Amino acid sequence: MSDGNILEIHHLSKTFGKNVVLRDIDFSVKPKDVTCIIGASGSGKSTLLRCVNLLETPTSGQILYHGADITDRKMNAPAYRAKVGMVFQNFNLFSNMTVLDNCMVGQVKVLKKDKAEARKNAMMFLEKVDMAPYINAKPRQLSGGQKQRVAIARALAMEPELLLFDEPTSALDPQMVGEVLSVMRALAKEGLTMIIVTHEMAFARDVSSHVVFMADGVIVEEGKPEQIFEAPRNQRTQEFLSRFRQG
């Protein structure tokens, strides 16, 4: 493993039947990196995150977490997911649980914390995302933006080393997007290591330390945000970003 990398992806491919969704993906993540993955719908971005979180099994290639191949059948998937959390575009909160219970259950069941410690930890992160007043609410009583902030608090309560975000604002009304992005901006400033699939180009430009542009299941171009957004070298990157500037 290259020195200091949390995560390394080598020659990762994923097929569904005859449909090749990811082809020969390579990149790495260091502590405090904020990697934004951009690209059109269907480019393979979400599938890549789902492979990193073991929600999909790669067809070939390696995903190394601190040098250990997570695709190995001997890998303890729940323990790994506790260290590499994920925030989904559709929140995935437990509808029958309160906000507080949503943020406690993983700590108790996976991290084996006692309920008092889990509650204290959950409250700390709910306060962080301005959702502490809603601890007794059920998800159906919350707006989309509030649900996503609870989902972020739930992921943070597991104290992950790396947090994955899969289009965290795509299911939100426009007026709610800002409140979720502001939470994520704060996390980036605090040094949380993140991989973010996003269509929010201004956010990606401002927050990322590394940008990956994907198309048709491959990484077309990657680099620092100023290079990708201000001087993209690949024509496909240029064409993709020009559509956002025009929009």
Side-chain angles (χ1 to χ4, degrees):
M1 185 178 77
S2 298
D3 193 32
N5 290 334
I6 294 175
L7 192 77
E8 291 185 15
I9 297 174
H10 298 297
H11 306 297
L12 184 73
S13 295
K14 176 64 180 175
T15 60
F16 294 99
K18 294 183 179 179
N19 184 22
V20 181
V21 180
L22 297 174
R23 293 183 182 87
D24 203 28
I25 300 291
D26 283 279
F27 74 90
S28 60
V29 178
K30 286 184 165 55
K32 300 188 179 182
D33 276 357
V34 178
T35 301
C36 283
I37 304 176
I38 62 173
S41 296
S43 59
K45 308 182 302 295
S46 292
T47 300
L48 174 55
L49 276 200
R50 290 176 67 83
C51 285
V52 171
N53 202 38
L54 293 178
L55 293 171
E56 299 287 354
T57 303
T59 304
S60 61
Q62 287 185 311
I63 302 173
L64 304 179
Y65 174 68
H66 291 294
D69 189 351
I70 67 163
T71 63
D72 189 314
R73 290 180 181 178
K74 297 175 185 175
M75 187 74 182
N76 183 333
Y80 167 73
R81 287 200 192 101
K83 290 297 182 185
V84 180
M86 189 158 179
V87 175
F88 300 86
Q89 54 185 301
N90 291 318
F91 326 126
N92 286 23
L93 297 175
F94 299 114
S95 60
N96 61 326
M97 293 185 184
T98 65
V99 164
L100 182 59
D101 286 340
N102 261 281
C103 293
M104 287 177 59
V105 63
Q107 298 182 69
V108 173
K109 290 185 177 293
V110 179
L111 302 183
K112 308 301 182 188
K113 290 186 177 182
D114 64 54
K115 288 191 175 181
E117 184 184 4
R119 179 189 171 91
K120 181 180 177 182
N121 207 37
M123 288 302 302
M124 178 175 69
F125 288 110
L126 286 166
E127 286 168 7
K128 191 182 194 72
V129 299
D130 292 327
M131 287 301 294
Y134 300 88
I135 59 170
N136 295 315
K138 295 285 183 71
R140 66 178 178 274
Q141 298 171 294
L142 304 176
S143 71
Q146 290 171 328
K147 289 177 189 175
Q148 195 60 292
R149 283 187 281 152
V150 172
I152 292 171
R154 179 178 65 177
L156 291 172
M158 298 297 287
E159 298 171 357
E161 184 176 20
L162 170 63
L163 194 49
L164 313 176
F165 291 85
D166 184 15
E167 296 277 17
T169 59
S170 65
L172 303 181
D173 294 332
Q175 65 268 30
M176 296 175 184
V177 170
E179 65 186 51
V180 172
L181 292 182
S182 68
V183 169
M184 294 171 66
R185 286 176 194 273
L187 295 175
K189 285 181 180 177
E190 290 171 14
L192 181 65
T193 309
M194 300 188 279
I195 303 176
I196 305 167
V197 169
T198 184
H199 60 274
E200 300 287 344
M201 293 300 110
F203 170 80
R205 185 186 60 229
D206 294 346
V207 171
S208 65
S209 56
H210 188 75
V211 178
V212 174
F213 170 62
M214 291 183 65
D216 298 326
V218 300
I219 293 178
V220 175
E221 187 170 359
E222 60 180 313
K224 297 288 186 185
E226 53 271 23
Q227 184 257 304
I228 297 295
F229 286 103
E230 295 170 23
R233 300 186 183 101
N234 189 283
Q235 184 177 350
R236 295 189 73 176
T237 317
Q238 294 166 8
E239 290 171 354
F240 173 78
L241 292 173
S242 70
R243 290 200 296 273
F244 276 93
R245 293 189 189 103
Q246 290 164 5

